Amino acid sequence: MALKATIYKADLSIADMDRNYYGDHTLTIARHPSETDERVMIRVLAFALHADPALAFTKDLFDVDEPALWQKDLTGAIQAWIEVGQPDEKRLLKAAGRSEKVIVYSYSATSDIWFRGIAKGIDRARNVAVVNIPNEASVQLEKMAKRNMQLQCTIQDGQVWLTDGVDTVLVEREYLRGGQ
């Protein structure tokens, strides 16, 4: 018998002064049985960083042909393919061919090692950006994970602040490939 997803709900308020985007989102996140709270929160962070009415969580770990999030236009063409974790180069090259842009959010202490291993292989894919979330920040984000969350995200001058009203985490992204 297959294990079922755990459902997380988040009310996320975003003030992104870098993109001039302000909005409130009610998110429903299906946590795969093999997924950690840390990965769930990195997906929420990725949503906040790219918030748009067309941005959506996908089947992700339940369907190997889908990323963590994607944004499609009205024709169904993929505008943004957002991965979380450390996907292999074959997956990233396939995504680069299917989407206008691909963004990977890695968050492990081994991200540098993983990136060095795939950097040469994805060199020809010019639309792939890789962003590392420092291990300290991702561990702090993991502590915020709850089945029902009230979160506020403020983005200004490249800095990202995420708070649940009790704890606040500063996330300073490290761009391993591609710029802001």
Side-chain angles (χ1 to χ4, degrees):
M1 185 160 136
L3 297 173
K4 293 184 180 184
T6 303
I7 303 301
Y8 283 62
K9 301 247 183 208
D11 289 324
L12 176 63
S13 180
I14 302 166
D16 186 342
M17 287 155 263
D18 291 350
R19 291 190 309 138
N20 204 21
Y21 178 89
Y22 305 90
D24 294 319
H25 298 270
T26 300
L27 307 176
T28 301
I29 306 135
R31 179 180 172 219
H32 189 273
S34 68
E35 189 173 22
T36 64
D37 283 344
E38 182 179 28
R39 188 174 189 282
V40 167
M41 293 306 292
I42 298 297
R43 287 199 290 147
V44 170
L45 175 66
F47 184 94
L49 291 168
H50 299 278
D52 184 275
L55 185 64
F57 289 102
T58 67
K59 293 179 185 171
D60 192 19
L61 295 175
F62 293 97
D63 185 340
V64 295
D65 291 328
E66 294 184 2
L69 299 110
W70 61 20
Q71 182 177 330
K72 292 183 176 183
D73 67 15
L74 295 175
T75 68
I78 304 169
Q79 295 174 307
W81 178 290
I82 302 171
E83 291 280 355
V84 170
Q86 299 178 350
D88 62 29
E89 68 183 73
K90 182 178 175 185
R91 181 173 176 84
L92 292 177
L93 292 173
K94 183 177 177 182
R98 293 181 62 193
S99 177
E100 288 179 29
K101 65 181 173 183
V102 177
I103 304 105
V104 179
Y105 286 95
S106 62
Y107 59 92
S108 169
T110 60
S111 290
D112 289 341
I113 297 166
W114 161 79
F115 182 68
R116 280 191 302 249
I118 68 155
K120 202 169 214 164
I122 63 169
D123 198 41
R124 68 181 181 266
R126 299 282 177 219
N127 60 339
V128 177
V130 179
V131 181
N132 183 50
I133 305 302
N135 193 50
E136 305 79 36
S138 68
V139 169
Q140 289 178 323
L141 288 173
E142 178 180 24
K143 293 175 184 174
M144 287 184 177
K146 297 187 179 42
R147 297 279 302 273
N148 291 294
M149 298 176 273
Q150 301 285 325
L151 303 169
Q152 295 83 39
C153 183
T154 303
I155 304 164
Q156 183 175 14
D157 298 329
Q159 290 189 321
V160 182
W161 296 90
L162 195 66
T163 184
D164 62 2
V166 176
D167 295 311
T168 301
V169 178
L170 169 62
V171 180
E172 295 188 279
R173 299 164 283 176
E174 176 187 1
Y175 292 87
L176 302 178
R177 183 172 199 265
Q180 297 180 19

